[in-house]
Amino acid sequence: MTKLTSLKSEKRLLDRRAADQIRAHILDGVLPAGARLLETQLSEELEVSRGTVRSALAQLAGEGLVQQVAFTRWEVSGASVADAWEIYTLRGVLEELGARLAVANITEADGARLRSIVADLLRAIREERFQDATDIDFDLHAAIIALARHRRLAEQHRFIMQQVRFHMVQSGFLPKNYDELIAEHAALVDAVIARDAETAERLARSHNEAEVKLLTRLLRQGEATEAAAG
Amino acid sequence: MTKLTSLKSEKRLLDRRAADQIRAHILDGVLPAGARLLETQLSEELEVSRGTVRSALAQLAGEGLVQQVAFTRWEVSGASVADAWEIYTLRGVLEELGARLAVANITEADGARLRSIVADLLRAIREERFQDATDIDFDLHAAIIALARHRRLAEQHRFIMQQVRFHMVQSGFLPKNYDELIAEHAALVDAVIARDAETAERLARSHNEAEVKLLTRLLRQGEATEAAAG
DNA sequence: GCAACCGGAATTGCTGACAATCAATAATCG
DNA sequence: CGATTATTGATTGTCAGCAATTCCGGTTGC
């Protein structure tokens, strides 16, 4: 929950760093879904011009974290059931592709690295450092995607995982069963290391199946009650 | 091969319209892969300020059509074998998801619309209007994706298809076998209409498999010769 | 009482000018 | 003569200000 601080130092482009700060605030939940973003206020807090803020907001819009209502406002994107359903279904196929391609590329050293990340995850859970565990979970998936050596896939995956993280923060979502979580990840990593593309693919895709099914049901319910109300 | 013309009229935001014009020029092949884009020149041709051009270029960068080299240049993205491989593999899983979801949503009217698009495609090919045929091909895939009712998927698919189109223009790619093309599309549409998710999914994914396999082979060759040279 | 209309304040959209950076070339030194 | 360092021109990055649009309150007319 750090405060927005001034930039103007370092080497990266100003608008990127402005986007970094705003993004961090969104992902931390400081700026909740639907929150309005005022260009002037942000430019004062970040000590950059409005144009730079505008560029940063446009980037975040491209990442799906922010929405622009022309001539009217910028706001943090929604975290509705429909959004979550979109995010998790997309994640599923991206990770399916990632796992398939990772199998084709993985080396011994890569396999060792994945195994060590799983070990870290296990340790964090045993020691009840659940925030760390979530971070490591994300790292593991990113590491598998990286093995796919697919620039566009990696970028899309990063954006989707940002939205997953945002949705988890907004909805207060936490894994229910850590043993199962560990088992699933271990099985996926094993399949990738064993170069068993079919299994890896299936596990990657089914990793979120429970959430997707729940969300699909909620979505159907929502549509039904909406139809009944209208 | 129309010339870039002035904007400043209509209701949409200026930077969006600027992006539209530049995008059209890229997709038409007027601006080839690697071409440098000068902010000043574009701003003069489009009769908008440099800031507006900058915003437009940033959007196109988000769509993957343009790349920014900080402090140095904007250029049209590459159309290398690696790029094509990325584009087609991503397209595969996006359309796989789209087909699966379309099956869950499709109505009789939707089915009729898809069939009529296939008929249009067949007619265009029989009459040897191959440019039209390509457009209709794209329309058909977009129509199936639209049935998925998945905003994020539709957007990503639009971006990927833009890149597919660009790559086709750059490489002079043309389908080799129009009969097979028709048969594949008809089979996919039939499967979606029949609500056969498994078949639809498989057909959507395998639709580009020939290209992907070719590209994978080319990519491996490229890496091999590079390694031999280095 | 209520709807339509009109201002003014707040906010976003766009621009021109200035600063920072880079690439290419000329000048300098060994 | 070759390598390294200024210099210069071109290009991108950032800013502050004006213009256009929307939102919200009050006012007017019915």
Side-chain angles (χ1 to χ4, degrees), chain B residues 5 11 35 38 45-46 52 55-57 104 106 133 147 180 190 214:
Chain B
T5 72
K11 196 76 190 181
L38 295 181
E45 288 183 1
L46 297 168
T52 303
S55 171
L57 289 174
I106 192 167
L147 291 179
E180 193 179 320
D190 284 346
L214 172 63

Side-chain angles (χ1 to χ4, degrees), chain A residues 45-91:
Chain A
E45 288 182 4
L46 297 169
E47 296 185 53
V48 296
S49 82
R50 253 188 63 224
T52 303
V53 168
R54 218 155 200 306
S55 170
L57 290 174
Q59 284 172 239
L60 296 176
E63 297 177 15
L65 291 178
V66 152
Q67 281 177 315
Q68 180 180 30
V69 185
F71 291 109
T72 305
R73 64 197 299 164
W74 295 89
E75 59 192 26
V76 178
S77 293
S80 69
V81 173
D83 288 311
W85 175 82
E86 289 193 5
I87 292 164
Y88 280 107
T89 49
L90 247 186
R91 177 187 176 181

Side-chain angles (χ1 to χ4, degrees), chain A residues 88 91-93 95-96 99 188 199-209 212, chain B residues 96 100 201 205:
Chain A
Y88 280 107
R91 177 187 176 181
V93 295
E95 297 203 333
E96 175 187 342
L188 173 58
T199 304
E201 223 175 291
R202 186 170 46 74
L203 291 175
R205 175 158 148 185
S206 67
H207 188 51
N208 299 305
E209 206 155 45
V212 169
Chain B
E96 175 187 343
R100 179 161 80 234
E201 224 176 291
R205 174 158 150 186

Side-chain angles (χ1 to χ4, degrees), chain B residues 7-18:
Chain B
L7 306 172
K8 64 174 178 186
S9 52
E10 296 186 45
K11 196 76 190 181
R12 297 181 56 222
L13 257 37
L14 257 186
D15 56 350
R16 310 293 176 89
R17 285 184 283 151

Side-chain angles (χ1 to χ4, degrees), chain A residues 158-228:
Chain A
R158 200 171 74 244
F159 291 165
I160 280 290
M161 292 310 273
Q162 279 183 183
Q163 295 180 67
V164 168
R165 177 163 290 212
F166 176 61
H167 188 266
M168 286 173 67
V169 170
Q170 291 299 303
S171 66
F173 175 86
L174 278 181
K176 340 102 279 265
N177 185 331
Y178 283 104
D179 289 335
E180 192 179 321
L181 189 91
I182 285 280
E184 279 188 12
H185 284 100
L188 173 58
V189 166
D190 284 346
V192 172
I193 291 175
R195 296 174 186 272
D196 180 349
E198 205 174 319
T199 304
E201 223 175 291
R202 186 170 46 74
L203 291 175
R205 175 158 148 185
S206 67
H207 188 51
N208 299 305
E209 206 155 45
E211 279 84 6
V212 169
K213 276 188 177 153
L214 171 64
L215 290 166
T216 304
R217 201 166 61 243
L218 288 174
L219 204 56
R220 293 256 164 79
Q221 277 179 16
E223 281 172 2
T225 56
E226 228 171 61

